[in-house]
Amino acid sequence: MTDRGGLVAAATGAEALSTELPVGRSTGWWGMVMFVATEATLFACLLGSYFYLRFQYGPQWPPGGIEDPKLLTPLVMTAVLLPSSLPVIWAEHGIRRGHRWRLRSGLAATMVLGVTFLSLQAAEYAEKLRHFTMTTDVYGSLFFLITGFHGLHVLVGLTMIGWLLAASLRGGSFGAHRHEQVRNAAIYWHFVDLVWVAILFTIYLSPRL
């Protein structure tokens, strides 16, 4: 007779439950991929609406005497946000090898860069609001809706990374065989970075073309 009790105990014990078996893609991975795909579709609709309304509005864009968006601040924001994926990659690869110090260091660096990006965006908003608001015209609505929606996604990503960092500092069970949450947060953060590239071209560069 087989030791069914022993098999059950081995499968549900503390050691088994704290270890992820790398068999195919996990439900969490697929869930994050589907979530990112959904959010990518929303951004594609917003950016598509921007170009549609721009060409419907007429040759003058931005309208109503609004100046072309300045490039200095968004380029600095780009220089801050895009490199923030590197410490996430470094952290994820580190925890795959069981190096928790790399996980903590990488997540902390990403937190600093992400918060810096949002601070720069807040400063840009303060300057923009002196000239137009979301209710000024269609351009104001599109500008604040698209960039604000992305800023919200950055905040969500920072919340994920902050939670992971806090859990790792509290002695969480992340390790070589338990890092799915880190991988999922990394997927989301890379998505946020890539979306910003599309926004940079659409909102800041395309009016000058």
Side-chain angles (χ1 to χ4, degrees):
M1 295 180 61
T2 58
D3 184 8
R4 299 185 62 183
L7 291 175
V8 173
T12 59
E15 182 177 355
L17 294 177
S18 63
T19 303
E20 298 172 353
L21 296 179
V23 179
R25 298 294 187 181
S26 67
T27 303
W29 184 89
W30 283 110
M32 179 57 70
V33 168
M34 295 301 295
F35 176 68
V36 165
T38 301
E39 297 300 289
T41 302
L42 291 175
F43 275 107
C45 291
L46 289 174
L47 298 179
S49 298
Y50 176 93
F51 284 109
Y52 174 79
L53 293 172
R54 172 186 175 178
F55 292 119
Q56 288 290 317
Y57 197 88
Q60 183 181 358
W61 189 265
I66 299 175
E67 297 181 353
D68 289 343
K70 298 178 181 178
L71 295 180
L72 178 59
T73 299
L75 288 178
V76 174
M77 293 164 67
T78 303
V80 169
L81 187 63
L82 293 189
S84 67
S85 278
L86 297 178
V88 171
I89 295 172
W90 190 67
E92 183 187 1
H93 287 183
I95 198 60
R96 286 177 181 272
R97 295 171 173 80
H99 303 316
R100 295 187 181 182
W101 66 272
R102 281 183 55 175
L103 174 67
R104 296 164 182 166
S105 300
L107 294 179
T110 302
M111 284 286 296
V112 171
L113 293 172
V115 170
T116 301
F117 175 87
L118 289 182
S119 300
L120 290 169
Q121 187 175 54
E124 183 192 36
Y125 274 16
E127 192 275 332
K128 295 292 186 185
L129 288 172
R130 293 199 294 266
H131 304 284
F132 63 92
T133 68
M134 192 171 187
T135 59
T136 298
D137 53 26
V138 63
Y139 175 80
S141 298
L142 289 168
F143 178 88
F144 286 108
L145 176 62
I146 294 173
T147 58
F149 193 49
H150 178 263
L152 177 62
H153 280 70
V154 174
L155 182 61
V156 171
L158 286 175
T159 302
M160 293 180 183
I161 291 173
W163 182 86
L164 290 173
L165 179 59
S168 65
L169 292 174
R170 291 197 306 266
S173 56
F174 300 120
H177 300 289
R178 187 174 178 82
H179 49 259
E180 181 184 2
Q181 293 168 323
V182 178
R183 179 180 59 180
N184 291 343
I187 292 172
Y188 184 85
W189 191 257
H190 299 327
F191 160 73
V192 169
D193 284 2
L194 289 176
V195 169
W196 175 251
V197 175
I199 293 175
L200 177 69
F201 172 80
T202 302
I203 301 294
Y204 297 98
L205 298 180
S206 69
R208 298 174 178 270
L209 300 178

